[in-house]
Amino acid sequence: MEAIILLGGPGAGKGTLAEDLKQQTAYIHVSTGDMLRAALKSGSPVGLEAKACMEAGELVPDSVILRIIEERIAKESAAARFMFDGFPRTIDQALGLDQLLKKYSGVIAHVFNLEVQRKVLLRRLTGRRVCKTCGAVYHMITRPPEKEGVCDSDGGELYQRADDSEATILNRLEVYEKQTAPLISYYQRQGLIRDIAAGGHADATTALVLDVLNA
Ligand code: AMP
């Protein structure tokens, strides 16, 4: 097993980058945020456990996250290549991932650190809209759909994520700084961090990441 990790604050563009890489590489996209939203929608026990944390912009307990990650890894063959989007988000999750890598004979190839100024993150998150059907991400100002409120690719209804409200966004940024940003030095010590300037257009970010993957 091989893994790459997309690391960055809320609004850094992890999901959009992952969509692009899915088209252009063989990596399997694993987004804990998407998995939790799906669990919530289906009313499963994991969804119920995660609901309150997600709505408040807090992190879901590490044990829950590590359980769903292991279940996901176990479904694929030993040769699978994973792209983790929004995981790990705490040092304990990173330690848990290290254990899983040992168990499943895996290595981390790169940790892409998406660097975006805080004011850009705020602007992106407040304008973000997502397709209810396919999850495609739009922005009211920088990436509007052709027809307001409707997804260009499948006509699905666009909605604003419950945790993209102004108060929750501020909390998520704080949670990122406190609990997730320490992962940068954790992976720096292992020589795995690839800093990516991600404050511009999504295509530019994807190109920088592909340069590293193809080097
Ligand atoms: P995301 O779509 O990655 O922004 O995740 C949305 C929300 O799901 C986060 O604000 C957290 O509440 C929860 N979540 C997603 N991934 C994780 C994770 N690795 N650890 C803890 N909570 C997570």
Side-chain angles (χ1 to χ4, degrees):
M1 190 234 292
E2 186 198 291
I4 58 173
I5 293 171
L6 312 185
L7 188 63
K14 301 183 295 289
T16 307
L17 171 65
E19 287 306 316
D20 283 352
L21 294 180
K22 228 164 60 178
Q23 315 279 334
Q24 303 186 47
T25 68
Y27 288 99
I28 300 166
H29 180 204
V30 177
S31 155
T32 41
D34 285 351
M35 288 160 90
L36 293 170
R37 278 184 289 278
L40 228 154
K41 209 168 155 188
S42 72
S44 74
V46 166
L48 292 175
E49 223 174 322
K51 190 172 192 284
C53 298
M54 290 178 78
E55 282 172 357
E58 298 289 338
L59 295 184
V60 171
D62 294 333
S63 57
V64 175
I65 299 292
L66 287 166
R67 199 168 71 222
I68 62 174
I69 285 285
E70 178 159 17
E71 277 169 19
R72 186 66 192 82
I73 289 175
K75 271 192 199 154
E76 301 292 335
S77 77
R81 306 170 88 193
F82 293 98
M83 158 166 63
F84 292 122
D85 158 8
F87 169 83
R89 250 170 157 112
T90 63
I91 293 285
D92 280 345
Q93 288 181 23
L95 293 169
L97 175 60
D98 287 344
Q99 295 298 318
L100 289 174
L101 291 169
K102 267 195 203 126
K103 182 167 168 184
Y104 292 90
S105 312
V107 290
I108 299 172
H110 308 283
V111 178
F112 293 103
N113 176 33
L114 305 187
E115 297 184 300
V116 182
Q117 283 181 344
R118 186 187 159 93
K119 65 171 192 222
V120 178
L121 293 180
L122 264 170
R123 194 165 64 222
R124 284 186 183 169
L125 291 165
T126 46
R128 174 157 74 180
R129 297 293 181 274
V130 185
C131 173
K132 253 188 186 155
T133 333
C134 72
V137 180
Y138 295 86
H139 189 280
M140 296 223 295
I141 294 156
T142 55
R143 197 166 178 266
E146 274 174 26
K147 190 167 165 226
E148 201 188 316
V150 180
C151 178
D152 291 344
S153 40
D154 64 6
E157 186 190 335
L158 302 186
Y159 77 107
Q160 182 169 32
R161 273 173 47 172
D163 60 351
D164 278 346
S165 70
E166 194 111 19
T168 310
I169 287 171
L170 292 176
N171 193 35
R172 286 162 64 207
L173 287 169
E174 206 166 297
V175 165
Y176 172 77
E177 285 304 329
K178 278 207 189 112
Q179 306 196 55
T180 308
L183 290 177
I184 300 171
S185 7
Y186 180 82
Y187 286 121
Q188 226 149 22
R189 284 196 291 275
Q190 299 179 29
L192 291 171
I193 287 285
R194 318 287 175 245
D195 287 322
I196 301 289
H201 196 277
D203 291 348
T205 306
T206 304
L208 289 171
V209 169
L210 285 174
D211 281 349
V212 175
L213 290 175
N214 297 328

